[in-house]
Amino acid sequence: MIIQQEFTLKKSLSYGLICKVVTIVVTIGLIVTFNSRSAIHRGVSYNIPPFTRQCLCRQRIGEPSLSTPTTSHTGTLNSSEIHHIAFLKVHKCASSTMMNMFYRFGRKRNLTFVLPIKGENYLNLTKERGFLSVVPPAAMSGYDILCNHVSRFDKQAFSRLLPPDTKYIAIVRDPLQRLNSALHYYKSALTNVGLTTEKGKDPFQTYLKNPEYYETAWGVGSFTNNKMARDFGFPFKDYRNITKFKAYLPTLKKQFHFVAIVEMFPESLVLMRRLLKWPMEDILFLTINVNQNKPTAIGDISEKLKPFLALDVLLYDYFLADFKRRITSEGQDFEEELKYFKSINTKTTEFCKSNLPAQKLSFVASEWHGDFSVTRGDCDLLGKPGRPFLNLMRAIQNNRINKYGANVSLFL
């Protein structure tokens, strides 16, 4: 017993000495880099608390990690579900609904998101030494999920912030449907070139009359000119280079573990659930940020429209073919799971949109999940728009920083 106590004491003292050395090194590094005890970007500052032994050694001395695995839907420790995720939020591709899903999953598990430091939904991933463009993770933790808009996909920028085992996910949509949705959604910002918000005027039909005129006026700021391909990182200046884009597609295939299809959204979520090993309750959804306009008769792509959709068509067809191959490889039980998922998602939607006095909707265990309930609080989160949900997640992470200090090592 005495020998064991002596060994434990020596081990504790040795660890304490190591911790002090690390504390001194990190503190000096921060002072040299920032020349102050705060990191500042666009008027927002984060105080960097002194890196004491309590801060640097929090996990070792008994307090839980900020990313401690949570219990699964069956009540047992679920260490297999994937927590490290990069989602490319492609414009007007049901991406707000997907972001809501990732926010809910991460919030329930106390995960850390890459979030814009203030204001808009867009992330600035440009690395500037000594400045923060995103909310830093709390001390002794790193980032788990990135799911907000970026100007364009950059694997190097993503991987600088996310762990090596991150799963990369994206989503695509039928190009004409996406174009129609974008023109209706952004029409209020496009009035300066003739697309009007006047009642009875269809911006999609107006655009189709002379797409060259509008695209010339919008230039690189266009939300329609092969926008999906550009969101995936293809340079705007090469949007007419079909050969170069075809060579780019296999690179994207290697970089993304899964690309969902809007037109097969339930199928996409079941495939994603299997890839990420998530409980089924975490892929329930209500449609977010949907276009309220009546459907437009779209027809075929005209010759004068083709240059502005050619890359998106190639992108969509490429990943749609891959998507269908994946479904075929899943086997018969995929269709059974899909049917079941659709049924419980319909029940959840009806419950959340009802005015019934019931405070929760319960589901008994099945082949694909344990017992779980959807509460009125869950409904509020399921229907929470992007900006309010972003503000909520940002407040949660800022509270962690106030409690634990900030980990700015990624920004040195």
Side-chain angles (χ1 to χ4, degrees), residues 207-319:
Y207 171 87
L208 289 183
K209 293 176 183 177
N210 192 356
E212 183 81 38
Y213 165 73
Y214 296 110
E215 296 301 347
T216 301
W218 297 330
V220 71
S222 172
F223 282 98
T224 48
N225 183 355
N226 292 290
K227 183 58 175 170
M228 289 196 297
R230 289 158 51 212
D231 281 351
F232 273 85
F234 196 70
F236 176 78
K237 64 182 177 65
D238 293 327
Y239 79 87
R240 291 181 183 267
N241 193 334
I242 301 296
T243 302
K244 185 174 181 179
F245 186 69
K246 286 181 177 179
Y248 183 61
L249 288 172
T251 299
L252 292 178
K253 177 71 167 59
K254 292 178 181 178
Q255 291 176 333
F256 285 90
H257 297 89
F258 177 62
V259 176
I261 305 293
V262 172
E263 287 71 28
M264 303 179 76
F265 198 61
E267 291 89 341
S268 295
L269 296 184
V270 172
L271 282 176
M272 187 182 78
R273 186 198 81 79
R274 291 183 169 202
L275 171 69
L276 301 180
K277 303 176 184 178
W278 282 11
M280 186 170 280
E281 58 263 38
D282 288 306
I283 62 169
L284 295 172
F285 70 95
L286 302 179
T287 304
I288 303 293
N289 215 13
V290 66
N291 176 20
Q292 298 298 325
N293 294 280
K294 293 181 179 179
T296 303
I298 290 179
D300 297 326
I301 300 175
S302 65
E303 286 299 320
K304 58 185 177 182
L305 185 57
K306 281 184 178 179
F308 309 110
L309 286 183
L311 304 188
D312 281 359
V313 169
L314 287 171
L315 179 77
Y316 181 78
D317 289 347
Y318 183 85
F319 282 113

